[in-house]
């Protein structure tokens, strides 16, 4: 079949033009495909500006290609293909991914004609990494951040881009030093020398230093971007100081795509050689064309010549089809450029034409900050020819791919304010990070207003119109309520203006200076108050509508992460100001407050507060107490022990956190962590929380701040960035929840009950956009009427996100219970454009004008484009509609609806108004009122209450660079219209039924007095709001809701209220649980409902109830359920455990048998269901490593089944290839982006890695011939969002060595990190890589923290292993890496040494020798989960004999201080029953020995559980050595390993349930019918018989967090595969939930006590420098723990330092007396080495031989790691002397300031410092502050306290760190597998936990980083 496609490769300016020309020319002959890898059209000309400026909307430079490119082309003539063209053949274009064409998935496109428009690639930021919009936005915003924090900026290359960036930076930031470097003596050397002089003078004028005539010596690795200082070295020897360098040189032609088809057509400069016809020069391919920058046409490299080439190519292709002669292209125009010389100044420069020596020069001063980005956006979206949008423009020399920005355009901006939508729809982005949002938040603050001219012309038959010109776009225009006072802000001048006559005249504010204004916010409930925020610490407040302004200061800058000003609803003098002080990417948040309107200095409310609000934040909310309403505040604060958002908490105070701070119980009587947002909605306070392991959010609601309830959404999930709080009523909340993929956003609309906790579904498939806005609006001032847009073809959209939406509009008159279409006439259905396409300021449809509604839309089956719409009006609140005006208009309501004003939403010279509800319209020419030329309106508004006859309109005139901005005042008071009389008014009912009778909402009707439509008069009651008259109705069913206070909830299936749990009997009733009582019916009248009970329904009348309904869960005892399966083996099973913020009650397990069948249980194995995979076998189950809700089933084909709701529903996607057969991990997951996947498939004998960012809907190839690719993102690893590591075989040869590569743009660019690697592992903050050394005789270890820079690990010199053949990474949860290095690698004789690192993983000391290991690489080393620093090992006691061939003799040792000291386990006391232990004497001859990892049948059965703090169970024996396991007994400890007791003889498997309150054990290896269980931590044991038939138990499991009261036995009965669920929830002793009082943990009513672990040699409970207190359940409390408890309650105190807080430093070894001495013959560590590594360090400390244990937080005492003196780094001697000299003032500071300075910076230093000056942290110390390194002694926080360093150190560690990975141990799933390929874990700790961190990794990875024989290494 002949190819039907004409393909254009590259959506550059020229590529789009070519596609549009072809679509018009070839319509009906060939379908045009535009192939582009980027998700959006990238307006490259704007990138240089957007990379340096803060006041621009970066996202606007990325414009959707669909449907705009072909919008103006014939229908069906063209399509966009998002993919990268990788290769050309004579017939097809091959792509990097599968695309859907004509209903088929293809990876290549057959073409009839091909046009190459790939352009050239420039240096960033002119070309950006990545292909997604958010990648580009993030890059540009980070680039701006680097500009902002830099002081000395060097721009390399003085082409158009370099000149623009240099002049932009200097104009925007005049205090920065900017140097422009160019290798030639003349800039812009392709142009006449006069252009050089223009540039030179402009640089001189701005103060830019120019260095010409010398080339830069670019360093191979590029320049630093971390804010550190460096030099830019030139070939002439010049060194330019810099802290940021921007490279603006070079362009790379993108011609490689043609090499496979026609290499001869590529010239030596890599451009494509073309014929005069623009066909490529190869005559064998006449159907292939090239144009634009990539084509060697002889034309000037710019966009404008390319436009002409595009038209020529389209004509020539048609000539070929018609077999006509082709046209030739001839370049004729001289080179020309329109070049920016700063924000406003620019120059048009045209080289002299032939025969002339004079260039054409035109200077302009009309630039815009955003470079007219709106015009290109409009042209792309509208499908206009880009030539048209750029008409009469001159473009840049360099590239159509964006060598420099162009200024202005020929199409005017349709600017629309989104302030209304943002006000009414609070879209919560709940997992924000500040570095992504700070610049974005500034965009909404900037507009522009500078009055230049004003004139007034009046006409008797029309309004008075006054025109005021401004120098750029006015923004943030708002009225003070009930006044004609308007404020507006100028975007360029950053100056605000005020008008007190509704926009007639304007004056700058009296107070804030020009350029000072960041944002203006007005008080939402007081019409006198507003606050002007400055950029720094000075701000202003007005209390008289802006007449006067009072200056005030706050110690820190306002935050940019959210709106900084928080107002009190009833007291205008109470204001909170949120601030942030940032060090690079680290920000310290605080909140300040005033109670007197800043008449006195603001006071600190709370440090570490990410956000704070007043309890009284809305006029409807009340705490119920007057004093609390006045003073109570709520703050979201960082956690006490970790800085991560998962630990953010909600705190409440009624005295501004001076003495009182309360953390409210929010769920099951427990506090909640992970609070990420807080908002006030009507009469509710709403908090959103997110836990680790899920994307689901929990929403908690309170109506008094103290009592909180979790909101239930009827099975719908709230996720990050996926729900929108809508405009709510006084009696309910409305929320729209995204229930599709974000790429095809649709939602479900839900409405709450009166306390906001139970939500019912109103309507599905609501139309949303990707910003979270929803097509929803409440009709203002009328209860119950709601308009919404839904998607009719929702099923198609869910399958194909690129399909066209069929949107329809519906309306409800009963609060969303029923819906109906909008009607025009008798049969036509009307559809209106809504919030997602907002065009005007303010509301979309309605205003306070009673019942009058307007909108732009069309009649028909569904909504068409806005441009096809007309203006419609309804005067009965949306019941019926009529056509008002043809074409789209902006519109507004005035005089309570007596006048409607409209103006066409395009260039126009007319204004229109109606005096009879839109039936008739008067049109007037603007010229009649003195307005010259046409205007393009951008907004039309009036007073918020719509009672005025005055309107304000913003508009533009002109196009492109000649675009002027205006504000118009429209005043209709002069019309000859009388004031209305009483006869002119009617009684209008807001809601009526089909008979016209009033209907009821909330128990009453609403009637308004409004002017009749046919009365030609004005109400003329300005600022008097129309108020409804209420008439009560008889009560009906709709007036009642479920009685949630009595535990009733709505059941959607039965459509009635049903009990949600035990009922509450009245006091004195049902005391013996017998009899009946009069209780709730399950219903209650909705609060605020005014219905009349007489003659109506009374659903809330009490009814007789059975007392049995009041009981708790039935006490049925322990139960069991048996299930058998076909097959021979359970291959794998995983718990998909609910996280804290996940909804539901399920305990889900997924399991696969050796028959490749998958089963799912939602009730912990009581019932199992097969997962339907359409008869496809399942070869692997992949639970998402980071999200407990997600699981993937891999089949032998490309089809992958997946669930995002723990198996509730299943979906499929197609993988790019079949799964690899090379025993590699098929799927990898991103820690935070749930839809980001890495797939490793197999094709042609290679493993190929692909990435998807849309959950499998799109795929992009990463690398071929890989062993593993993995995301290495971490929350505190800056810039790691897209960071991927891949192990790739060299030269794609699977027999070659493996290299480690990294990329942060999906391998568009890549970096080689290490060569010849064995493997790498990621654990906690460390990335550890094992590589072969240079002579291949041994291995070595490198470590990184930042993911970019690796440092060689330094092993202790007394640690001698000639051939290091294997490493096992044991743990890194305590800020140190424990690494086992194999010493003896012979079979059955394996053992090695454990070495421990410093806090950056690079310098190791010997921890312990001769530690046992087995063949697979697992080590007898186990940390105690949930407790700091306790670990158990087995040592080979006869190592020399083992080396000679003897069998191992093992002894067990324990440490309580993270490996600094090891001791044998003290002999337990003899068991009270049974045989006493035989051995006696010293510990060396008689101690407890335990069987560890190397002997377990399942190495994931751990000793301990993080939720059962202090408990450990193990099997072993008492004696001199460890004996055979078959002779072992079972032991337990309840005090963290200090003392042990025998709990039962024999070997048993064990599991902890209900956080240790239930312990279950079962005999190992023997058929049995019973388990034993304990309810008192193993002191007392009871049997439970689960079956009459004996079972051979292979495993015993429960949920990973050990919080369940259910367990599963896995094994066989009579040879059949069997699971048995054992349920303890019916046990009487575990039928009541325990009481925990976080505020008063020693409360006598509490079921818990505080337990403090200790070191066995300590008397003061100090461990790691502090006393930690943990919640533990009292053993005799008969209750269950339930919801997971945060066991670490508090750090009671920090202790003074002792010897136990230190370990021996590198090359030092511990002596018998405990001291550390240098190993004889070895040098001490080079303390001065830090000076070479970090150029910012100026001095260092001497080595003492001791270093702190990384976990310790001790203060003072024996600080063994410090000497009394420091030494200067080389080259800093004079500076050292100067800084260490001290005078009287210095002495004062040295004595007085250390404590304050240390306290202020302690938390930040704690996060960034390893505890000692002179130590290196990988990648440097992070961005400096104000030019100082974080630990630069010149820095002010280091300089002054240097004389009292110990005081600083005493505070730095004051906030100890809870072990992040230990907490994580309880947040993921249990993974078990048996038989076949067993996938190892990421880390030793992952295996150890048995239930967490299951990252299915390469077999050589994680545990064992190298396993090589001497010959192989």
């Amino acid at each position: 079949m002949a190819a039907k496609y004409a393909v254009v490769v590259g959506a550059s300016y020229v590529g789009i033009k070519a596609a549009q020309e072809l679509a018009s020319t070839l319509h009906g002959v060939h379908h045009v495909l535009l192939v582009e890898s980027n998700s959006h059209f990238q307006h490259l000309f704007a990138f240089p500006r957007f990379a340096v400026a803060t006041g621009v909307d970066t996202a606007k430079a990325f414009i959707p290609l669909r449907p705009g490119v072909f919008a103006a082309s014939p229908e069906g003539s063209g399509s966009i293909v998002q993919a990268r063209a990788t290769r050309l053949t004579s017939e097809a274009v091959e792509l990097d991914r599968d695309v859907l064409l004509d209903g088929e998935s293809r990876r290549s496109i057959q073409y009839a004609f091909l046009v190459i428009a790939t352009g050239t690639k420039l240096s960033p930021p002119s070309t950006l990494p990545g292909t997604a919009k958010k990648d580009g936005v993030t890059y540009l915003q980070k680039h701006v951040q680097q500009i902002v924090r830099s002081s000395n900026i060097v721009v390399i290359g003085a082409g158009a881009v370099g000149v623009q960036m240099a002049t932009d930076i200097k104009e925007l930031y005049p205090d920065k030093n900017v140097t422009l470097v160019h290798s030639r003596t003349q800039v812009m050397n392709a142009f006449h020398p006069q252009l050089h002089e223009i540039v030179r003078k402009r640089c001189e004028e701005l103060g830019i230093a120019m260095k010409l005539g010398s080339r830069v010596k670019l360093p191979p690795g590029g320049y630093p971007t971390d804010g550190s200082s460096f030099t830019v070295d030139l070939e002439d020897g010049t060194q330019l100081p810099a802290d940021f360098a921007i490279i603006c040189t070079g362009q790379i032609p993108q011609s490689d795509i043609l090499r496979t088809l026609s290499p001869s057509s590529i010239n030596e400069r890599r451009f494509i050689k073309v014929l005069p016809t623009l066909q490529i020069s190869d005559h064998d391919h006449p159907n292939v064309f090239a144009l634009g920058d990539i084509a060697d046409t002889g034309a000037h490299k710019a966009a404008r010549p390319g436009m002409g080439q595009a038209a020529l190519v389209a004509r020539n292709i048609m000539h070929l089809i018609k077999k006509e002669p082709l046209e030739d292209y001839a370049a004729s125009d001289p080179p020309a450029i329109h070049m920016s010389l700063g924000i406003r100044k620019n120059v048009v420069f045209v080289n002299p034409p032939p025969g002339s020596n004079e260039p054409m020069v035109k200077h302009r001063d009309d630039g815009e900050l955003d470079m007219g980005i709106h015009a290109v956006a409009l042209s792309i979206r509208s499908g206009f020819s880009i030539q048209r949008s750029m008409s009469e423009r001159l473009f840049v020399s360099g590239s159509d791919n964006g060598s420099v920005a162009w200024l202005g355009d020929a199409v005017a901006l349709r600017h629309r304010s989104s302030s209304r939508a943002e006000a009414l729809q609070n879209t919560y982005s709940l997992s924000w990070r500040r570095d992504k949002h700070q610049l974005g938040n500034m965009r909404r603050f900037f507009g522009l207003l500078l009055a230049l001219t004003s004139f007034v012309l009046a006409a008797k038959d029309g309004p008075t119109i006054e025109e005021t010109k401004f120098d750029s776009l006015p923004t943030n225009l708002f009225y003070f309520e009930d006044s004609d006072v308007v404020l507006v802000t100028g975007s360029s001048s950053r100056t605000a203006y005020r008008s007190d006559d509704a926009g007639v005249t304007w004056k700058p504010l009296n107070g804030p200076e020009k350029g000072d204004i960041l944002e203006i916010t007005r008080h939402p409930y007081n019409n006198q108050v507003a606050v002007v925020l400055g950029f720094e610490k000075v701000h202003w407040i007005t209390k008289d509508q802006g007449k006067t302004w009072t200056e005030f200061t706050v110690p820190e800058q306002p935050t940019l992460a959210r709106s900084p000003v928080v107002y009190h609803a009833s007291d205008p003098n109470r204001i909170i100001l949120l601030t942030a002080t940032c060090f690079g990417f680290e920000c310290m948040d605080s909140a300040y407050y005033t109670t007197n309107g800043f008449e006195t200095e603001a006071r600190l409310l709370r440090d570490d507060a990410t956000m704070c609000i007043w309890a009284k934040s809305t006029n409807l909310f009340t705490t119920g107490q007057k004093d609390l309403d006045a003073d109570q505040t709520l703050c979201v604060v960082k956690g006490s022990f970790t800085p991560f958002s998962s630990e953010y908490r909600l705190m409440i105070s009624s005295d501004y956190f001076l003495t009182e701070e309360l953390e409210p119980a929010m769920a099951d009587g427990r506090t909640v962590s992970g609070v990420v947002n807080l908002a006030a909605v009507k009469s509710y306070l709403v908090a959103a929380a997110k836990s680790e392991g899920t994307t689901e959010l929990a929403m908690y609601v309170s109506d008094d701040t103290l009592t909180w309830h979790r909101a239930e959404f009827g099975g719908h999930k709230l996720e990050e960035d996926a729900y929108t709080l809508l405009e709510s009523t006084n009696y309910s909340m409305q929320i729209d929840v995204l229930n599709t993929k974000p790429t095809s956003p649709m939602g479900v609309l839900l409405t709450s009950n009166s306390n906001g906790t139970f939500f019912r579904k109103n309507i599905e498939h609501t139309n949303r956009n990707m910003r979270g806005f929803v097509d929803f609006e409440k009709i203002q001032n009328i209860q119950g009427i709601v308009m919404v847009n839904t998607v009719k073809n929702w099923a198609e959209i869910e399958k194909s996100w690129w399909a066209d939406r069929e949107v329809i509009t519906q309306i409800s008159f009963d609060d969303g219970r029923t819906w109906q279409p909008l009607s025009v006439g008798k049969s036509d259905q009307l559809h209106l454009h809504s919030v997602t396409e907002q065009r005007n300021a303010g509301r979309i449809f309605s205003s306070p004008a009673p019942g009058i509604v307007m909108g732009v839309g069309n009649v028909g089956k569904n909504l068409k484009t806005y441009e096809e719409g007309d203006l419609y009006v309804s005067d009965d609140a949306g019941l019926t509609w009529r056509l008002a005006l043809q074409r789209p208009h902006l519109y507004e309501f005035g005089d309570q609806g007596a006048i409607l004003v409209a103006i066409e939403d395009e260039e126009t010279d007319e204004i229109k108004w109606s005096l009879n509800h839109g039936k008739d319209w008067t049109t007037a020419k603007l010229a009649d009122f003195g307005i010259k030329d046409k205007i393009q309106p951008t907004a039309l508004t009036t007073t918020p209450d719509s009672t005025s006859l005055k309107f304000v309109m913003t508009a533009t005139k002109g196009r492109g660079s000649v675009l002027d901005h205006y504000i118009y005042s429209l005043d209709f008071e002069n019309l000859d219209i009388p004031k209305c009389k009483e006869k002119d008014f009617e009684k209008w009912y807001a809601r009526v039924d089909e008979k016209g009778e009033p209907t009821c909402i909330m128990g009453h009707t609403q009637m308004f007095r409004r002017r009749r439509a046919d009365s030609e008069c004005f109400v003329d009651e300005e600022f008097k709001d129309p108020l409804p008259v209420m008439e009560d109705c008889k009560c009906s069913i709709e007036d009642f809701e479920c009685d949630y206070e009595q535990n009733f909830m709505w059941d959607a299936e039965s459509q009635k209220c049903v009990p949600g749990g035990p009922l509450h009997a009245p006091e004195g009733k049902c005391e013996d649980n017998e009899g009946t009582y009069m209780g709730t019916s399950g219903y209650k009248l909705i609060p605020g409902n005014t219905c009349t009970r007489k003659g109506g329904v009374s659903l809330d009348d009490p009814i007789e109830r059975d007392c049995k309904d009041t009981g708790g869960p039935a006490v049925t005892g322990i139960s069991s359920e048996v299930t058998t399966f076909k097959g021979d083996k359970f291959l794998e099973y995983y718990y998909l455990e609910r996280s804290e913020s996940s909804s539901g009650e399920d305990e889900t397990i997924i399991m696969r048998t050796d028959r490749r069948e998958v089963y799912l249980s939602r009730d912990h194995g009581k019932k199992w269901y097969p997962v339907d995979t359409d008869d496809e076998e399942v070869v692997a189950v992949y639970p998402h490593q980071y999200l407990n809700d997600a699981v993937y089933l891999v089949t032998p084909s490309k089809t992958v089944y997946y669930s995002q709701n723990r198996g509730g529903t299943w979906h499929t996607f197609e993988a790019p290839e079949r799964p690899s057969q090379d025993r590699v991990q098929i799927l990898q997951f991103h820690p935070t982006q749930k839809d980001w996947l890495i797939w490793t498939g197999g094709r042609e004998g290679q493993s190929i890695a692909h990435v998807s960012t849309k959950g499998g809907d799109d795929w992009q190839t990463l690398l071929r011939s890989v062993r593993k690719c993995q995301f290495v993102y971490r929350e505190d690893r800056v810039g790691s969002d897209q960071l991927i590591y891949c192990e790739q075989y060299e030269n794609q040869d699977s027999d070659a060595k493996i290299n480690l590569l990294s990329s942060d743009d999906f391998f568009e660019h890549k970096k080689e990190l290490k060569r010849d690697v064995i493997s790498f592992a990621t654990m906690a903050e460390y990335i550890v890589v094992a590589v072969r050394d240079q002579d291949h005789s041994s291995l070595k270890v490198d470590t990184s923290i930042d993911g970019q820079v690796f440092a060689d690990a330094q092993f202790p010199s007394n640690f001698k292993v000639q051939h290091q053949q294997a490493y096992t990474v044991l743990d890194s949860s305590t800020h140190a890496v424990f690494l086992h290095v194999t010493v003896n690698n012979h079979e059955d004789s394996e053992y090695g040494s454990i070495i421990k690192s410093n806090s950056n993983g690079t310098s190791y000391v010997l921890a312990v020798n001769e530690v046992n290991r087995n063949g697979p690489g697992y080590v007898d080393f186990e940390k105690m989960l949930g407790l700091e620093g306790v670990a158990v090992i087995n040592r080979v006691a006869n190592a020399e004999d083992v080396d000679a061939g003897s069998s191992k003799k093992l002894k067990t040792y324990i440490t309580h201080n993270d490996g600094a000291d090891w001791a044998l386990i003290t002999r337990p006391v003899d068991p009270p029953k049974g045989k006493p232990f035989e051995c006696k004497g010293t510990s060396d001859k008689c101690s407890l020995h335990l069987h560890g990892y190397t002997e377990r049948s399942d190495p994931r059965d751990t000793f301990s559980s993080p939720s059962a703090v202090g408990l450990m169970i193990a099997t072993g024996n008492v004696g001199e050595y460890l004996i055979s396991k078959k002779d072992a007994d079972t032991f337990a400890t309840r005090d963290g390993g200090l003392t042990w007791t025998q709990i039962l003889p024999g070997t048993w498997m064990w599991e902890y349930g209900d956080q240790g309150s239930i312990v279950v054990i079962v005999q190992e290896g023997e058929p049995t019918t019973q388990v034993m269980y304990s309810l008192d931590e193993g002191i007392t044991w009871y049997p439970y018989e689960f079956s009459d038939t004996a079972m051979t138990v292979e495993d015993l499991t429960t949920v990973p967090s050990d919080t369940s009261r259910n367990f599963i036995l896995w094994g066989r009965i009579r040879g059949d595969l069997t699971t048995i669920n054992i349920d303890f929830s019916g046990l009487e002793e575990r039928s009541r939930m325990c009481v925990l009082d976080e505020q008063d943990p020693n409360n006598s009513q509490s079921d818990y006590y505080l337990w403090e672990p200790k070191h066995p040699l300590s008397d003061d409970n100090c461990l790691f420098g502090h006393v930690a207190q943990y919640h533990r359940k009292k053993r005799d409390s008969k209750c269950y723990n339930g919801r997971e408890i945060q066991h670490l309650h508090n750090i009671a105190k920090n202790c003074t330092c002792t010897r136990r807080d230190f370990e021996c430093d590198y090359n030092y070894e511990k002596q018998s007396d405990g001291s550390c001495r240098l190993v004889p013959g070895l040098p001490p560590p080079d303390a001065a080495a830090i000076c070479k590594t970090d150029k910012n360090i100026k001095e260092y400390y001497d080595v003492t031989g001791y270093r702190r244990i990384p976990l310790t937080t001790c203060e003072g005492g024996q600080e063994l790691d410090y000497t009394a003196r420091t030494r200067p780094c080389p080259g800093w001697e004079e500076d050292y002397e100067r800084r260490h000299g001290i005078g009287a003032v210095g002495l004062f500071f040295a004595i007085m300031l250390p404590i304050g300075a240390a306290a202020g910076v302690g938390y930040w230093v704690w996060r960034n410092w390893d505890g000692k000056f002179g130590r290196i942290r990988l990648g440097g110390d992070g961005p400096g502050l104000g030019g100082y390194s974080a630990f630069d002694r010149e820095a002010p926080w280091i300089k002054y306290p240097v004389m009292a360093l110990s005081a600083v150190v005493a505070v730095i560690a004051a906030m100890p760190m809870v072990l992040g990975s230990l907490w994580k141990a309880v947040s993921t799933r249990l993974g078990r597998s048996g038989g076949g390929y067993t996938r190892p874990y990421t880390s030793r700790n992952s295996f150890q936990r048995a239930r967490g961190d299951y990252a299915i990794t390469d077999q050589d990875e994680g545990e064992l980083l190298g396993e090589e024989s001497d010959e192989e290494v």
Side-chain angles (χ1 to χ4, degrees), residues 1493 1496 1498-1502 1870-1874 1878-1879 1881 1886-1891 1894:
Y1493 268 87
R1496 291 178 187 162
D1498 189 327
R1500 288 152 291 192
D1501 292 330
T1502 56
L1870 167 67
R1872 311 269 179 155
S1873 63
T1878 302
R1879 293 180 291 274
Y1881 288 76
S1886 304
F1887 250 136
Q1888 182 179 7
R1889 288 193 282 270
R1891 33 188 154 277
Y1894 192 87

Side-chain angles (χ1 to χ4, degrees), residues 475-535:
T475 62
N476 198 20
L477 184 150
F478 66 85
Y479 281 85
F480 284 98
E481 188 86 23
D482 294 339
S483 76
D484 285 331
V485 179
V486 190
L487 297 188
V488 73
T489 308
S491 60
S492 295
S493 63
R494 295 174 183 172
T495 303
Y497 296 85
R498 178 179 184 268
S499 173
D500 59 8
D501 51 12
V504 176
T505 58
W506 297 89
K507 294 179 181 179
L509 298 189
N510 182 21
E513 297 294 328
K514 180 177 181 181
D516 285 343
I517 295 176
L518 173 65
E519 179 187 11
I520 305 180
T521 68
R522 65 181 176 91
H523 199 297
Y525 301 105
N526 186 288
N527 69 347
Q528 301 293 312
V529 177
V531 171
V532 169
L533 289 176
F535 285 91

Side-chain angles (χ1 to χ4, degrees), residues 119-291:
T120 58
K121 188 173 184 178
L122 304 172
S123 300
S126 293
T127 301
L128 300 182
T131 60
K133 173 180 177 178
K134 72 174 183 178
D135 303 332
V137 171
T138 299
Y139 179 90
L140 290 174
Q141 290 179 345
K142 287 183 177 179
H143 197 278
V144 175
Q145 289 276 22
Q146 290 169 324
I147 293 289
V148 169
R149 71 169 183 248
S150 300
S151 300
N152 297 305
I153 300 173
V154 176
V155 180
I156 302 169
V161 173
V163 170
Q164 177 182 343
M165 295 195 79
T167 54
D168 282 355
I169 293 169
K170 192 62 178 176
E171 186 168 346
L172 288 168
Y173 313 100
D175 293 336
K176 298 186 186 297
N177 298 318
V178 180
T179 304
L180 181 61
V181 182
H182 197 57
S183 59
R184 300 174 185 264
T185 56
Q186 176 184 324
V187 304
M188 306 299 297
N189 48 284
F191 288 86
H192 189 277
Q194 190 173 333
L195 183 55
H196 167 83
E197 282 301 307
I198 293 171
V199 173
R200 186 191 62 77
K201 289 180 180 178
R202 179 58 174 157
C203 289
E204 185 178 281
E205 177 184 322
L206 290 172
I208 298 171
M210 296 183 71
K211 176 62 179 175
L212 307 179
S214 184
R215 193 174 298 276
V216 172
K217 295 192 293 185
L218 294 174
Y223 293 108
T225 59
D226 60 357
S228 60
S229 298
F230 56 89
T231 60
V232 174
D233 299 334
L234 308 186
E235 290 182 350
D236 65 0
T238 302
Q239 290 187 320
L240 302 174
D243 49 20
F244 192 52
I246 306 172
I247 300 173
C248 301
T249 61
Q251 55 180 346
I252 303 172
Q254 303 289 82
S255 58
D256 287 348
I257 187 178
L258 189 59
R259 289 195 183 279
T260 55
L261 177 65
S262 179
S264 63
S265 295
I266 302 175
N267 67 18
E268 66 282 356
R269 294 183 299 124
R270 298 177 63 179
F271 290 98
I272 296 177
K273 294 186 288 185
V274 294
L275 303 174
T277 57
L278 298 183
Q279 296 161 296
I280 64 172
S281 60
D282 189 340
H283 293 281
D284 291 337
H285 304 290
N287 59 338
V288 180
F289 293 75
L291 77 170

